[in-house]
């Protein structure tokens, strides 16, 4: 919705002739003499000419505006210059004329190159990736929350627990029919069982997950989208605390038509959500005519890395009940909780109290805690039968590949391996986290308090040329192009305070950290001397 | 009750409407099968599944290849060294080797008469995801796509459910063997325009589901010319391209546009998958191939919602790059499909049941049980279908679920059962037809 409003303000060829100013002037030129006629001062000629002219202009105006508003088009579509600017309906009469073909409004806006630093940085880093030996001057990727710390454990598991092949065994014989044929689209039962148990283990065995309330999808990305399609209609909104994961803009906005209404969090609160701010955002959205259908949050939080307290979780449920909306908790970093604070899943809260669970939904996946983003495994966990029924049908478009399901049944059922993995993973993240944050502190850069996730949330506001989004982006560009490190600027995460940057450190080895710090130091010195 | 009402109110329209289409007989037959599955020894009285277009005829070839190529899998001793690299790979462009292997395979299926650019290959969650994605890219809510009928029942879901796009059917008739003509398309197009419906394109399934026929060069050319003249899109769902088992070769739209000088390539898009040709529906490999750069870019970004597992990409790269295996597979598969098709159609002809003449592809045939209907209505067809599912215990699909105009036709899938089961199924139909034929005579 916001996009559309913004772009209608840009002038396009058809509307140029009818801007408010010219219409107003024309009107005055007609009305003044008309007044004269009505008051008996005008002549016969004007008396007949002017009404005819008015009639003619009215017809002209109606003809021009019969077609619905032109589709939204932002000014940066210059590089897509080919696309026609009229709406598809008005093309009916001129169909067949030479003109470029229409694709959907959605596609036109998605296709254009992203202007988000989040995506631009990822692309650039991928084009010139740092390698200690082969490309020591390459870009160090700190913008992708990937975890490479524990692959040795996985490789060990693989070598010790070989299956004979990608195939399973059907009645003793190796058979491909177990993996090649159609499987339940929301996941094989054995995998749901293994996943439910794994999730429980990852979250410290404080809560039990019921496999029948679990749906598997091809990654957490479709999980969020599918859940959104089930809970809200086009034009509705979800409240979302900022700063938030830039990918949510894609997952929610690309195709569902649902709006994300930011609820700004502040550094003074360590970016913890305030119930007052939540309430205010809800009311403001309502005044704008947007129906809020739910709250979407990540816990552990991305990009800050803090955890929601028990009180806060209760508070969210109360709020949701009062407003009759849903709560969607993305708990994908639950197992990357390396601090001393315990992670509390929303599932645990609703289990222990008499809450209306039907409004609670959890997103999970194996990309972060188990470092398997390539396998595309996501989870929707819901307490709402109807949501599960609808989401199940939607998994038809995003199912987990069967061979991968088979592999994971083996891996996730091996509880001893999982236990060792979780513990070692936390330990290694903690070690790197401490080294990285200490390194930044030496440069005068402090991070928000965090105890989970694969990243830290660093305050570089002292280095930015101006305390604004513009200043922040200038620093980001310097870091990317001069220091050659890709970090994610807070503005890409919709953070209201400029100068914050997300730095992912779990792809780094201890040696790499000193390289990173050295590069940042050079840029920091340049900034300090020019500030 | 009030709590339930409140709860129902908080779900979206998409979650609560019927647009997924799963309340149709097409899906009900599947449930009947699920409850009482046929097994030659354990449950010989069970329902034989003939409503699922799955290709299981060449699994033995694939199983042999897998055993002989352990390095294709990352979970074997030989292949495990690739595990880490594969597990972390999540680039939505796909593994380079994978897109290249798929492009080569698609070329092979078309007799190497065309070339495909690997950079135009976009992944999706199966052909289901591919069809939905391309519609999201080409049309807005309220727009329509022309779809020749009879058509695949799940198009209702795939093309319409989340996209908000409508289907404008193009009627095809048994009088000319259900052949699609440019004239029929023009009639449907004009009708839609008169109702003020904005048509964004035409979607063809070639080879056709449920007819099992292919389009000839002339028809394809005329349709490409039509869309170019009207400046609307052409989507060719070619997922059954390697199932053409007759001597008549498959002609892809890719071949047609190579020959036509004046066609607008920005309008042409191909949907593909490995579910039918290779028999790997569980792998969830869908492909959107577009000649339109903007569509490729947009579809690629949407592919995040349905990427192919990197493990699967890695495995398929090896499999599809083994030219000897692929050549052998394609020719064996054709032979076995041809034989199955022949056995069924001649077996049925002997008891007076005809199947669509000219069918040369697909994993099914389009059977005419019109002579057995008490009246030529869809109600009678559904009654007959219930009898076939419940008494004859065969899950075949009634024509009404394919949105055709003429009652009495049924789609029968034949490639998902072994020889023994196929014989049982054929016998059951023949017995049923002979019994019913006699009853019919007595009634007169």
């Amino acid at each position: 919705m916001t996009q559309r409003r913004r772009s209608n303000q840009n002038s396009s060829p058809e509307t140029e002739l009818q801007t408010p100013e010219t219409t107003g002037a024309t009107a005055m030129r007609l009305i003044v003499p008309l007044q004269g006629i009505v008051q008996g001062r005008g002549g016969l000629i004007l008396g007949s000419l002017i009404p005819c002219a008015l009639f003619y202009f009215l017809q002209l105006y109606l003809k021009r505006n019969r077609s619905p508003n032109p589709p939204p088009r932002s000014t940066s579509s210059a590089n897509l210059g080919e696309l026609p600017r009229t709406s598809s309906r008005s093309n009916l009469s001129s169909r067949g004329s030479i003109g470029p073909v229409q694709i959907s409004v959605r596609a036109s806006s998605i296709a254009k190159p992203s202007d988000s630093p989040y995506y631009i940085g990822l692309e650039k880093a991928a084009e010139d990736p740092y390698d200690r030996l082969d490309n020591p001057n390459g870009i160090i990727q700190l913008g992708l929350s990937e975890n490479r710390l524990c692959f040795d454990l996985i490789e060990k598991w693989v070598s010790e627990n070989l299956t004979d092949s990608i195939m399973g065994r059907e009645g003793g014989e190796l058979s491909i029919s177990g993996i090649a044929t159609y499987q339940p689209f929301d996941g094989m039962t054995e995998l749901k069982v293994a996943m439910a148990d794994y999730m429980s283990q990852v979250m410290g065995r404080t809560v039990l997950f019921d496999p029948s309330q679990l749906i598997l999808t091809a990654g957490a990305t479709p999980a969020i989208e599918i859940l959104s399609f089930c809970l809200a209609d086009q034009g509705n909104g979800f409240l979302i605390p900022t700063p938030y994961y830039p990918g949510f803009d894609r997952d929610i906005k690309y195709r569902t038509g649902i709006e994300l209404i930011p609820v700004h969090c502040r550094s003074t609160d360590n970016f913890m959500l305030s119930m007052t701010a939540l309430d205010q955002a809800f009311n403001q959205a309502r005044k704008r005519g947007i129906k809020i259908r739910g709250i979407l949050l990540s816990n552990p939080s991305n990009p800050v890395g803090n955890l929601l307290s028990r009180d806060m979780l209760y508070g969210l449920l109360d709020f949701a009940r009062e407003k009759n909306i849903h709560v969607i908790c993305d708990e994908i970093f639950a197992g990357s909780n390396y601090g001393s604070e315990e992670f509390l899943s929303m599932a645990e809260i609703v289990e222990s109290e008499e809450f209306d669970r039907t409004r609670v939904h959890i997103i999970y996946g194996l990309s972060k805690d188990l470092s398997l983003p390539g396998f595309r495994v996501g989870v929707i966990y819901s307490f709402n039968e109807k949501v599960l029924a609808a989401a199940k049908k939607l998994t038809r478009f995003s199912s987990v590949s069967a061979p991968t399901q088979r592999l994971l049944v083996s891996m996730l059922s091996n509880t001893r391996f999982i236990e060792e993995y979780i513990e070692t993973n936390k330990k290694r993240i903690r070690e790197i986290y401490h080294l990285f944050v200490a390194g930044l502190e030496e440069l005068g850069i402090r991070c928000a308090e965090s105890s989970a996730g694969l990243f830290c949330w660093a305050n570089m506001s002292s280095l930015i040329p101006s305390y604004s989004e513009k200043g922040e982006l200038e620093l980001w560009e310097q870091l990317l192009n001069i220091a050659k490190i890709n970090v994610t600027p807070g503005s890409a995460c919709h953070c209201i305070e400029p100068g914050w940057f997300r730095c992912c450190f779990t792809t780094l080895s201890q040696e790499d950290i000193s390289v990173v710090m050295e590069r940042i130091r050079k840029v920091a010195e340049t900034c300090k001397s020019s500030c | 009750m009030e709590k339930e009402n409140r709860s129902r109110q908080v779900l979206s329209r998409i979650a609560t409407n019927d647009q997924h289409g799963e309340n149709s007989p097409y899906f009900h037959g599947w449930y009947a099968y699920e409850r009482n599955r046929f097994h030659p020894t354990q449950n010989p009285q069970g329902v034989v599944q003939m409503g699922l277009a799955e290709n299981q005829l060449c699994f033995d070839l694939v199983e042999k290849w897998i055993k002989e190529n352990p390095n294709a899998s990352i979970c074997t001793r030989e292949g495990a060294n690739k595990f880490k690299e594969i597990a972390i790979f999540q680039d939505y462009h796909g593994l380079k080797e994978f897109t290249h292997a798929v492009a080569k395979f698609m070329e092979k299926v078309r007799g190497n008469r065309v070339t495909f650019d690997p950079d135009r290959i976009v992944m999706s969650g199966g052909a289901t995801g591919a069809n939905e994605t391309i519609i999201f890219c080409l049309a807005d809510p309220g727009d329509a796509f022309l779809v020749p009928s009879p058509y695949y029942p799940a198009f209702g879901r795939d093309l319409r459910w989340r996209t908000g796009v409508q289907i404008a059917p193009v009627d095809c008739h048994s009088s000319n063997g259900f052949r699609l003509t440019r004239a029929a398309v023009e009639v449907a197009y004009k009708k839609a325009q008169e109702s003020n419906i904005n048509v964004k394109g035409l979607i063809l399934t070639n080879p056709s589901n449920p007819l099992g026929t292919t389009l000839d060069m002339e028809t394809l050319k005329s349709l490409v010319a039509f869309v170019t003249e009207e400046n609307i899109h052409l989507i060719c769902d070619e997922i059954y391209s390697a199932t053409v088992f007759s001597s008549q070769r498959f002609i892809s739209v890719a071949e047609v546009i190579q020959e036509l000088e004046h066609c607008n390539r920005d309008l042409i898009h191909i949907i593909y998958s490995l579910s039918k040709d290779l028999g790997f529906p569980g792998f969830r490999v869908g492909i959107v191939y577009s000649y339109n750069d903007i569509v490729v870019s947009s579809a690629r970004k949407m592919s995040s919602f349905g990427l192919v597992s990197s493990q699967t990409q890695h495995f398929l790269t090896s499999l599809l790059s083994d030219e000897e295996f692929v050549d052998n597979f394609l020719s064996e598969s054709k032979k076995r499909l041809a034989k199955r098709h022949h056995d069924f159609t001649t077996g049925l002809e002997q008891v007076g049941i005809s199947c669509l003449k000219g069918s040369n592809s697909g994993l099914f045939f389009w059977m005419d049980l019109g002579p057995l209907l008490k009246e030529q209505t869809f109600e009678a067809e559904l009654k007959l279908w219930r009898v076939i599912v419940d008494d004859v215990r065969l899950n075949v699909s009634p024509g009404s679920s394919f949105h055709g105009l003429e009652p009495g036709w049924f789609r029968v899938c034949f490639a998902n059962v072994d020889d023994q089961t196929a014989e049982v199924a054929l016998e059951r139909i023949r017995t049923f037809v002979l019994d019913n034929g006699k009853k019919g005579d007595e009634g007169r």
Side-chain angles (χ1 to χ4, degrees):
Chain A
M1 276 258 176
T2 343
Q3 249 180 336
R4 220 164 269 144
R5 253 181 256 134
R6 222 181 287 133
S7 52
N8 271 348
Q9 282 160 24
N10 301 330
S11 64
S12 59
E14 316 81 75
T15 57
E16 246 171 330
L17 287 166
Q18 290 292 325
T19 57
E21 300 82 62
T22 57
T23 335
T26 322
M28 285 314 291
R29 275 187 226 114
L30 294 169
I31 287 171
V32 169
L34 205 54
Q35 268 182 331
I37 293 165
V38 166
Q39 289 166 358
R41 286 183 278 119
L44 197 60
I45 293 166
L46 277 177
S48 43
L49 258 183
I50 287 169
C52 292
L54 280 175
F55 183 75
Y56 170 77
F57 282 125
L58 181 67
Q59 289 302 307
L60 196 65
Y61 175 85
L62 286 175
K63 215 184 209 166
R64 266 188 206 286
N65 290 287
R66 193 170 291 138
S67 36
N69 287 331
R73 199 84 63 202
S74 93
T75 42
S76 64
S77 63
N79 46 346
L80 297 183
E82 253 90 74
L83 294 171
R85 290 165 178 276
T86 52
S87 75
S88 46
R89 196 150 297 205
S90 64
N91 247 4
L92 282 174
S93 46
S94 59
R95 199 45 78 63
S97 56
I98 301 160
V101 64
Q102 292 242 355
I103 56 175
S104 70
V105 163
R106 212 187 265 108
S108 333
S109 84
I110 292 172
K112 59 187 203 288
S114 178
D115 53 7
S116 164
Y118 177 67
Y119 293 106
I120 295 174
L122 286 179
E123 255 185 66
K124 281 200 121 167
E127 282 162 19
D128 180 18
Y130 167 80
D131 182 285
R132 210 174 307 127
L133 303 166
D134 297 331
N135 190 17
N137 294 319
I139 300 178
I140 301 182
Q141 174 68 286
L142 302 181
L144 183 59
S145 65
E146 232 178 38
N147 180 355
R148 297 189 185 219
L149 302 177
C150 292
F151 271 124
D152 56 322
L153 296 180
I154 294 190
E155 282 169 334
K156 184 163 162 277
W157 177 86
V158 170
S159 65
E160 288 172 2
N161 294 271
L162 298 172
T163 48
D164 302 77
S165 74
I166 200 175
M167 300 187 281
R169 283 189 175 273
E170 296 264 322
E173 283 296 307
L174 274 183
S175 161
I176 198 172
S177 55
I179 55 164
T181 54
Y182 280 107
Q183 306 293 330
F185 293 103
D186 57 326
M188 295 175 188
T189 311
E190 308 102 295
L191 183 52
K192 288 190 182 187
V193 167
M195 180 66 76
D197 190 61
Y198 164 76
M199 284 170 70
S200 173
Q201 216 183 339
V202 154
M203 301 189 192
R205 291 255 182 249
T206 52
V207 57
L208 280 177
F209 288 94
D210 180 352
S212 68
Q213 289 175 218
L214 205 144
I215 282 176
L216 294 165
T217 60
T221 300
I224 290 270
E225 199 201 33
I226 286 172
L227 196 51
S228 304
F229 267 114
C230 291
L231 304 180
D233 296 311
Q234 192 165 359
N236 294 159
F238 286 150
L239 293 169
I240 182 167
T242 69
Y244 64 78
Y245 162 55
F248 279 155
D249 286 331
R250 166 200 60 198
D251 301 347
I252 312 284
K253 292 190 197 168
Y254 264 15
R255 310 189 301 189
T256 68
I258 297 167
E259 275 203 56
L260 286 175
I261 310 292
V263 182
H264 292 300
C265 304
R266 300 183 184 277
S267 55
T268 42
D269 299 324
N270 196 42
F271 297 98
M272 289 299 290
L273 179 60
S274 115
M275 293 307 296
T276 323
L278 193 63
D279 202 38
Q280 261 176 5
F282 182 90
N283 292 331
Q284 274 168 8
R286 201 168 40 176
K287 285 202 189 105
R288 279 166 54 204
I290 298 173
K291 185 165 184 207
I292 296 294
R293 302 300 291 266
I295 308 166
L296 167 62
L297 34 78
S298 55
N299 177 36
S301 145
N302 178 2
V304 181
N306 50 19
L307 299 175
L308 287 173
S309 66
R310 193 175 288 273
D311 284 342
M312 180 52 92
L313 289 166
Y314 281 157
L316 282 166
L317 286 175
D318 283 336
F319 182 84
R321 196 190 323 129
E322 187 195 313
K323 310 290 185 195
N324 193 22
I325 59 179
H326 294 276
V327 179
I328 307 170
C329 282
D330 180 354
E331 300 188 344
I332 201 172
F333 289 101
S336 308
N337 170 32
Y338 52 82
S340 48
E341 209 186 319
E342 237 186 74
F343 169 74
L344 276 171
S345 166
M346 190 57 108
E348 190 194 330
I349 303 294
V350 299
E351 218 183 43
S352 56
E353 301 283 322
E354 269 313 300
F355 283 105
D356 176 10
R357 306 172 188 185
T358 59
R359 56 182 85 258
V360 172
H361 320 278
I362 293 169
I363 298 286
Y364 190 65
L366 298 182
S367 304
K368 313 294 178 185
D369 290 346
L370 214 48
S371 307
L372 305 173
F375 289 178
R376 313 313 302 144
V377 184
V379 173
I380 297 175
Y381 189 82
S382 175
F383 293 87
N384 187 319
E385 292 292 311
K386 293 191 162 47
V387 169
L388 288 172
K392 233 177 248 195
K393 297 190 172 89
L394 287 168
T395 56
R396 193 64 175 84
F397 300 104
S398 310
S399 300
V400 183
S401 190
T404 301
Q405 292 196 51
R406 280 251 169 258
L407 168 59
L408 289 171
V409 167
S410 295
M411 197 186 274
L412 300 182
S413 312
N414 193 325
T415 43
R416 205 188 40 80
F417 161 70
I418 295 294
E419 199 183 309
E420 188 197 346
Y421 187 94
I422 294 171
E423 281 315 304
T424 314
N425 188 31
K426 284 186 185 169
K427 181 162 154 286
R428 292 182 186 177
I429 300 177
R430 198 182 310 128
E431 279 165 8
I432 287 274
Y433 164 78
H434 282 305
L435 281 172
F436 196 85
V437 167
L440 287 178
E441 272 211 37
E442 269 173 43
L443 300 174
I445 298 168
R446 296 211 108 143
C447 296
E449 269 174 54
S450 59
S451 54
L454 309 176
F455 36 74
C456 61
W457 187 234
N459 185 359
M460 301 196 195
S461 54
S462 58
L463 302 178
I464 59 181
S466 64
Y467 191 68
S468 62
E469 186 179 322
K470 184 162 172 287
E472 178 188 283
L473 288 175
E474 277 176 37
L475 176 60
W476 170 72
E477 271 179 28
Q478 281 195 297
L479 288 168
L480 182 61
N481 298 319
I482 300 172
K484 301 193 91 179
I485 61 166
N486 177 41
V487 290
T488 306
S491 48
C493 306
H494 304 268
C495 184
I496 203 165
E497 295 175 27
W500 292 86
F501 288 80
R502 187 189 78 169
C503 309
C504 303
F505 46 71
T506 43
T507 52
L508 300 174
S509 66
Q510 300 198 359
E511 296 88 5
D512 296 328
I513 293 185
S514 45
V515 176
V516 170
M517 295 307 154
E518 185 48 40
R519 292 190 187 186
I520 299 179
R521 192 181 60 76
K522 290 212 179 85
V523 167
E525 275 167 11
T526 331
C527 292
K528 282 187 180 129
S529 59
S530 57
C531 279
Chain B
M1 180 59 182
E2 210 224 270
K3 190 173 176 186
E4 214 205 87
N5 277 339
R6 243 192 151 207
S7 155
R8 206 180 303 130
Q9 279 161 27
V10 302
L11 296 188
S12 67
R13 284 193 282 270
I14 283 177
T16 47
N17 68 21
D18 258 350
Q19 295 279 297
H20 48 75
E22 287 188 19
N23 297 329
S24 80
Y26 181 71
F27 294 100
H28 281 163
W30 290 19
Y31 305 144
Y33 162 74
E34 289 298 324
R35 282 193 302 265
N36 181 17
R37 293 190 193 197
F38 171 84
H39 187 277
T41 46
Q42 290 165 19
N43 188 18
Q45 296 308 312
V47 176
V48 178
Q49 173 65 291
M50 307 197 87
L52 180 58
E54 218 176 37
N55 185 354
Q56 299 194 20
L57 299 184
C58 289
F59 276 166
D60 57 320
L61 300 179
V62 179
E63 282 165 0
K64 180 163 171 284
W65 187 92
I66 290 177
K67 285 183 195 146
E68 290 169 2
N69 292 271
N71 54 335
S73 165
I74 52 175
C75 39
T76 57
R77 203 184 313 261
E78 294 84 346
N81 59 336
K82 286 270 185 176
F83 195 100
K84 178 166 115 185
E85 180 191 321
I86 296 296
I88 202 108
F89 183 85
Q90 57 175 323
D91 184 346
Y92 63 21
H93 289 85
L95 285 169
K96 218 185 172 86
E97 317 85 75
F98 174 67
T99 50
H100 276 82
V102 170
K104 280 265 156 314
F105 177 71
M106 286 171 69
E107 288 169 3
K108 228 183 228 294
V109 167
R110 288 153 185 76
N112 291 315
R113 290 179 295 270
V114 294
T115 48
F116 287 109
D117 176 1
D119 290 340
R120 291 188 176 282
I121 287 180
V122 174
M123 295 182 281
S124 60
T128 301
N131 277 315
E132 198 200 33
T133 297
I134 193 69
I135 296 291
F136 265 124
C137 289
L138 303 179
D140 294 301
D143 289 341
F145 255 81
L146 297 164
V147 185
S149 84
Y151 59 81
Y152 167 54
F155 269 167
R157 169 194 63 206
D158 302 349
L159 309 180
R160 297 183 317 171
W161 195 16
R162 296 194 290 190
T163 61
V165 168
Q166 312 177 51
I167 289 178
V170 178
D171 300 328
C172 298
H173 304 271
S174 60
S175 51
N176 74 334
F178 295 97
R179 258 185 294 278
L180 180 64
T181 61
R182 175 173 169 154
V185 174
E186 283 171 340
V187 162
Y189 184 58
K190 194 152 165 260
K191 185 168 154 201
Q193 286 189 305
E194 279 161 11
S195 315
N196 223 18
I197 294 171
N198 188 30
V199 176
K200 290 309 285 283
L202 166 66
I203 180 165
L204 301 175
T205 308
N206 178 36
S208 158
N209 176 6
L211 305 175
T213 54
T214 51
L215 293 170
D216 58 46
M217 179 62 98
E218 208 185 301
T219 311
L220 276 168
K221 276 187 174 162
S222 72
L223 293 172
V224 172
F226 171 76
V227 299
T228 304
E229 283 162 35
E230 299 299 332
N231 204 25
I232 61 176
H233 293 278
L234 180 62
I235 301 172
C236 286
D237 182 338
E238 299 188 344
I239 69 170
Y240 291 100
S241 47
T243 65
V244 177
F245 50 75
S246 73
S247 51
Q248 207 181 327
R249 66 179 182 73
F250 172 64
I251 301 170
S252 162
V253 71
E255 230 183 293
V256 174
I257 64 176
Q258 245 171 211
E259 293 204 11
L260 283 182
E261 273 177 40
H262 302 288
C263 78
N264 183 357
R265 290 189 170 209
D266 277 345
L267 299 172
I268 312 291
H269 322 275
I270 297 176
I271 297 298
Y272 192 57
S273 156
L274 299 181
S275 302
K276 311 296 180 181
D277 287 350
L278 283 177
F280 293 154
F283 284 22
R284 312 312 303 140
V285 181
I287 304 287
V288 175
Y289 187 95
S290 175
Y291 291 88
N292 182 321
D293 292 340
I294 301 176
V295 172
V296 170
S297 171
S298 149
R300 175 113 55 219
K301 291 184 186 174
M302 289 188 202
S303 68
S304 299
F305 299 115
L307 293 174
V308 177
S309 165
S310 53
Q311 172 195 16
T312 304
Q313 290 185 50
H314 176 73
F315 170 78
L316 288 170
T317 303
S318 293
L319 184 82
L320 297 178
S321 306
D322 186 336
E323 294 214 34
E324 204 188 305
F325 167 79
V326 170
D327 288 337
N328 181 46
F329 181 96
L330 290 176
S331 78
E332 248 326 287
S333 178
K334 279 187 168 63
K335 281 198 198 108
R336 298 181 189 183
L337 286 169
K339 180 169 185 305
R340 242 341 137 74
H341 179 270
H342 174 84
D343 290 346
F344 267 100
T345 49
T346 46
L348 288 171
E349 242 166 81
Q350 286 163 6
V351 295
I353 293 296
S354 64
C355 304
L356 184 61
K357 290 278 174 295
S359 67
N360 63 345
S361 52
L363 308 175
F364 35 69
F365 54 86
W366 194 230
M367 174 173 71
D368 185 6
L369 292 184
L372 297 184
L373 288 188
K374 300 234 169 19
E375 344 163 295
Q376 297 300 313
T377 61
F378 282 113
E379 287 76 28
E381 178 190 281
L382 275 176
K383 270 210 184 100
L384 176 59
W385 171 70
R386 287 238 121 84
V387 168
I388 297 177
V389 174
D390 298 334
D391 300 346
V392 187
R393 280 155 293 117
L394 296 175
N395 178 34
V396 295
S397 309
S400 52
S401 22
F402 296 85
H403 308 276
L405 292 177
E406 302 164 52
W409 293 85
F410 289 77
R411 187 192 75 171
V412 183
C413 298
F414 55 69
N416 60 322
V417 292
D418 57 31
D419 290 328
Q420 194 181 3
T421 312
E423 273 177 39
V424 168
L426 182 58
E427 247 338 280
R428 287 190 190 175
I429 310 181
R430 284 162 58 104
T431 314
F432 172 71
V433 169
L434 290 170
D435 287 347
N436 266 275
K438 288 189 187 127
K439 284 197 187 118
D441 288 337
E442 278 165 28
R444 281 192 207 103

